[in-house]
Amino acid sequence: MDSKKKLYLAFIMNLFIFLATLGVVISYFFGNDGQYHIEPSFRFNLFTTDSNILCGAAALVMAVFQLRQMKNNKPVPKWAFILKYTGTCALSVTFFTVIFFLGPSMGFMDMVFGGTSVYMHFFGPIIAFVSFCFFETSKPLSMPVSLTGIIPTAVYGAWYCTEVVFITAENGGWQDFYGFNQGGYWYITYPIMILAAFGLCMLVRAVHNSMSN
């Protein structure tokens, strides 16, 4: 496939990611409370919502620069690729957490395929991965850059631990809705999540760079 077709398809996918994410988030304020009846404001405490918003914003940035490139052949800046990479890695964490942890423990039909969750947990991550790794391949990523993909998971994990473990639900913090502190083992699950996120960052980078070469 030539570079112009790849650029056009990447633009279409990024525009879709942004619009689909925006539509789902807006739906939270118009009665879409999901299987677990989650309040709209609390949705932003979930990594699923945050990672999709991050990637949706990155997709919009990429789409704007890709449109510019199609019009006047100015290349997409590297920082935009890094932002899209970071968002794609965050959604990869969402995808694999649901597939291997939340789905088996909470039920796949509700967690993965229930309502708009099918986009936020499944199609969104898949489209982001495909667009970044197979169509946005003009700039290979260095190893230091790949560390940026860990940032969303590390920041959210610290926030989650603070709310669940240190503030606690009794004092106005969060319930352990992800179950990462079962048995009080947050100090084990947090490093595991960081290591898993790092592994996914390496995977995304490896696939992206192999297609770039």
Side-chain angles (χ1 to χ4, degrees):
M1 185 181 297
D2 63 51
S3 58
K4 288 185 178 180
K5 287 183 179 178
K6 290 175 69 174
L7 178 63
Y8 178 75
L9 290 173
F11 168 76
I12 294 298
M13 284 187 279
N14 278 317
L15 194 60
F16 176 81
I17 290 170
F18 169 71
L19 292 176
T21 303
L22 180 64
V24 171
V25 172
I26 290 175
S27 76
Y28 294 151
F29 298 91
F30 290 91
N32 176 22
D33 60 356
Q35 178 69 22
Y36 298 98
H37 306 293
I38 300 172
E39 291 293 327
S41 60
F42 193 79
R43 289 276 185 177
F44 298 95
N45 296 345
L46 304 177
F47 188 76
T48 291
T49 305
D50 298 337
S51 59
N52 273 275
I53 289 175
L54 172 62
C55 198
L60 176 61
V61 170
M62 286 292 287
V64 170
F65 283 117
Q66 286 164 344
L67 181 61
R68 184 187 71 169
Q69 184 175 359
M70 286 187 283
K71 287 186 173 182
N72 55 30
N73 206 33
K74 287 186 178 181
V76 177
K78 186 174 182 179
W79 68 264
F81 276 91
I82 296 174
L83 182 62
K84 178 65 182 298
Y85 169 72
T86 303
T88 301
C89 290
L91 279 190
S92 296
V93 172
T94 295
F95 177 83
F96 282 101
T97 300
V98 169
I99 294 298
F100 291 108
F101 181 73
L102 298 180
S105 63
M106 297 183 180
F108 280 100
M109 290 308 298
D110 295 336
M111 180 57 62
V112 183
F113 299 111
T116 53
S117 292
V118 70
Y119 173 79
M120 301 293 268
H121 288 153
F122 187 77
F123 287 114
I126 293 294
I127 296 171
F129 180 84
V130 170
S131 66
F132 183 75
C133 291
F134 296 97
F135 295 94
E136 296 164 344
T137 55
S138 60
K139 288 181 172 63
L141 300 175
S142 65
M143 178 63 77
V145 167
S146 66
L147 296 176
T148 62
I150 309 174
I151 294 174
T153 302
V155 171
Y156 181 84
W159 181 26
Y160 187 88
C161 285
T162 299
E163 292 285 347
V164 172
V165 179
F166 301 110
I167 298 178
T168 72
E170 291 76 11
N171 295 310
W174 299 347
Q175 296 287 343
D176 184 20
F177 46 83
Y178 282 134
F180 290 151
N181 191 40
Q182 292 184 21
Y185 291 128
W186 65 270
Y187 54 88
I188 296 177
T189 56
Y190 180 65
I192 289 175
M193 288 300 297
I194 298 300
L195 290 174
F198 179 72
L200 290 173
C201 289
M202 294 299 99
L203 174 64
V204 173
R205 174 179 174 270
V207 177
H208 174 270
N209 283 0
S210 68
M211 298 305 296
S212 298
N213 294 333

